[in-house]
Amino acid sequence: MMKTIVQGGIDKSMVYNVEPVENQLNDWDPERGFYEDYDIKNYFNDERLETTLWVINSLNVALLMHCICQYNYMFKNGSKKITNRYESKKINAMYYTYLFNRVYSLGLILYAMYVFCTFEKHICQWHYGCESTESGGLTASAYYYSVYNSECPDLDKLEENYLDNQPGRGAEVDSCGHNNNECCKIDIVCEGYIQENRPYESFNNTINYRLMHPERGYRPIHITSRGGCGGFTILNLISSYLYNDHLVFLFILISIILIWFIANMIILSIVIVNKNLDTWTPLSTEDITLRGSA
């Protein structure tokens, strides 16, 4: 049986077959006559998660460097009496953004730890190409793919995600018509029977029944079939789901930057409009040092 890896993401979507690796690391199975394959999870890495954590940590380092520059400025100028309104606003803005940036930096460290500890990789699969085993059971090839930001989706979630994010919104339909002939369809017999652990005889009977009832064992997807479905398969749904699953990591990074930017803009706006901050109360050198090490 074939193992097919589906690697999706923001910038790529690859599908490729894998074969058992024949070397001393894998045990020979005399009953089946071939080498045991690696665990399927070994075909998937944590590159997306590791990259996200690396970027978060890099942003935190940059923020800490910014805090050091702010601290040095206040150490040199914070103990002086400032009468100029512009200079007073400037050092007040520096001071309050510095306080926020220190807290935000700690928050980034805690959030990176949270992401590392809670984001779990789930290996999902979809079976196809069912065949009979020697004992009359059912075996099948499978598509394997990994998701981080949710449990493995069922077909309903795959369809919902695809319909929400498909490029051509006009292709979505509310009704599939008689015998679902107005929608593209997904063959679910093999996947369903594998999940239900049914014998090959049941699978074969269903396939034979299709000679009289061609709609048997297909699940309609609410995409219009007018003009043809153009090779529409389960891979379309899986690839779309992977794209959006990986997109969550990009959303995390954008959110971190936006929160920092908006918070700093709010602080600057408050400093500008608050007349109580038109003057600067000098801080002693000891006070600055204590606040910087707090």
Side-chain angles (χ1 to χ4, degrees), residues 2 38 48-49 90 126 149 167 228 293-294:
M2 188 68 67
Y38 289 127
R48 184 66 59 182
L49 177 62
K90 179 179 176 181
W126 178 276
N149 302 298
S293 59

Side-chain angles (χ1 to χ4, degrees), residues 68-82 91 94 280 282-285 288-289:
I68 292 174
C69 293
Q70 290 180 310
Y71 174 77
N72 289 336
Y73 179 86
M74 288 186 298
F75 187 82
K76 294 178 181 179
N77 302 282
S79 58
K80 300 177 182 178
K81 182 177 179 60
I82 300 176
I91 196 168
M94 189 77 68
W280 168 252
L283 297 174
S284 65
T285 304
I288 297 176
T289 303

